[in-house]
Amino acid sequence: MPEFSRDYLQCGRFRLTVSGDDFRPLVMGILNVTPDSFSDAGQFASLDRALSHAEQMIADGVDIIDIGGESTRPGAPPASPDDELRRVMPVVYALRDCGKPLSVDTRRSQVMREVLAAGADMINDIEGFRDPASLAAVSDSDCAICIMHMQGEPQSMQKAPHYDDLFADVRDFLRERIARALAAGIASERICIDPGYGFGKTAEHNLKLLAWQDELQHALGFPVLAGLSRKSTIGQLTGKSVEQRMAGSIAAALVAATNGARIVRVHDVAETVDALKVWNAARRARSINML
């Protein structure tokens, strides 16, 4: 299997390295500013708390900050574009000069346009930019886009997820969405992909995709973003509540890194950064010993 050859991800004002001998996966820190997040329970819904948390993530070594204004946990009711904008815009304005790329987790084209105009560097769309208006919203900027696979909708996606061929279904969906993005004029250097762990998938589906993650990345030729932090699969494997899933989440991030992830999306930034430093040092030592 050929080596992954893409050198960087163009992310708005930033060019992020995604390969190289000394590369370790980039850490995307989650900043949920919703009142009903599955993991943060609305604790960062106020601007002061959101900014304080962002400042702590920066001090902890975060590479990208991902701001979310709509909960997409299983069964979550949809938020209106106005609600999303009310939640995320003050945070984007306050953090746009923080020195780190700002990603916004949204599936609404109206929100995409507004946050990009305000200074966001990346759009992370759980719907994979299936809405033509969403592709149009990002096509004229330099922002990075994350194309994610999701079966169904957040309100119903976990009721009975089923695949005839899991790998082929996810691969083919992402391939088709990449082709649509390229046809819309989005440069390949701006695209990363997400298998969509936990979005219309059982724990068994998630574990299989995690095992096949590097094959998926090589098949499509785009960097993978892996988001397993605190998700129900971690809970099923460990028997722990959301608040007690840090160790399991870090383990999942390390497995994702071993299986080729270029970005890991996490809640526990400091702990994940430290774990990846050790992981990368061991990986480099092994590589040197094999020369």
Side-chain angles (χ1 to χ4, degrees):
M1 186 176 294
E3 286 295 318
F4 179 78
S5 60
R6 199 166 297 273
D7 293 327
Y8 67 89
L9 177 70
Q10 184 63 46
C11 190
R13 300 163 293 170
F14 300 84
R15 179 171 287 193
L16 304 177
T17 300
V18 292
S19 67
D21 292 340
D22 195 33
F23 173 77
R24 61 118 174 117
L26 302 173
V27 173
M28 172 183 275
I30 299 168
L31 181 57
N32 287 322
V33 292
T34 60
D36 55 349
S37 164
F38 89 95
S39 62
D40 299 317
Q43 62 179 304
F44 306 124
S46 74
L47 181 59
D48 286 346
R49 289 189 176 182
L51 297 183
S52 178
H53 187 52
E55 289 167 1
Q56 185 61 58
M57 287 196 292
I58 292 169
D60 291 337
V62 78
D63 297 297
I64 308 167
I65 298 173
D66 191 43
I67 305 163
E70 178 189 34
S71 176
T72 51
R73 74 186 191 283
S80 71
D82 287 342
D83 283 342
E84 272 194 80
L85 287 168
R86 177 177 51 79
R87 295 166 184 167
V88 303
M89 287 297 282
V91 182
V92 173
Y93 279 128
L95 292 177
R96 60 184 174 182
D97 295 320
C98 72
K100 299 293 181 180
L102 300 182
S103 169
V104 175
D105 184 352
T106 183
R107 51 184 172 153
R108 313 291 185 200
S109 60
Q110 178 184 341
V111 177
M112 294 177 191
R113 290 186 184 279
E114 294 289 339
V115 298
L116 289 173
D121 301 287
M122 182 174 185
I123 300 295
N124 184 11
D125 182 3
I126 64 167
E127 293 187 347
F129 297 88
R130 282 178 283 177
D131 182 354
S134 295
L135 277 182
V138 300
S139 61
D140 292 334
S141 79
D142 288 328
C143 74
I145 66 169
C146 183
I147 300 174
M148 196 190 85
H149 175 274
M150 175 175 63
Q151 185 183 84
E153 297 292 329
Q155 287 183 286
S156 60
M157 64 187 178
Q158 291 304 108
K159 289 185 177 179
H162 171 78
Y163 297 85
D164 292 326
D165 187 327
L166 174 65
F167 181 83
D169 286 355
V170 173
R171 178 199 62 202
D172 293 348
F173 171 85
L174 292 172
R175 179 176 284 154
E176 187 269 340
R177 297 317 308 160
I178 290 166
R180 293 291 182 95
L182 295 172
I186 297 170
S188 61
E189 294 81 7
R190 294 171 51 198
I191 299 172
C192 65
I193 55 175
D194 183 344
Y197 296 111
F199 284 82
K201 299 170 185 74
T202 64
E204 182 180 2
H205 292 148
N206 291 326
L207 292 171
K208 286 181 177 179
L209 278 176
L210 185 58
W212 295 332
Q213 183 183 264
D214 205 27
E215 294 178 51
L216 182 69
Q217 182 167 246
H218 281 88
L220 297 172
F222 289 85
V224 162
L225 183 156
L228 292 132
S229 182
R230 299 188 189 175
K231 288 187 175 176
S232 61
T233 294
I234 307 295
Q236 290 179 47
L237 293 172
T238 63
K240 299 295 179 63
S241 65
V242 171
E243 299 80 8
Q244 297 176 312
R245 293 176 189 169
M246 181 194 298
S249 297
I250 293 170
L254 293 178
V255 175
T258 301
N259 292 350
R262 308 292 154 158
I263 305 171
V264 290
R265 183 177 181 271
V266 305
H267 296 85
D268 304 296
V269 170
E271 295 80 3
T272 306
V273 168
D274 284 352
L276 285 170
K277 286 178 180 177
V278 176
W279 173 88
N280 197 40
R283 181 182 66 91
R284 290 183 63 205
R286 182 176 186 275
S287 177
I288 291 169
N289 288 338
M290 292 178 65
L291 294 177

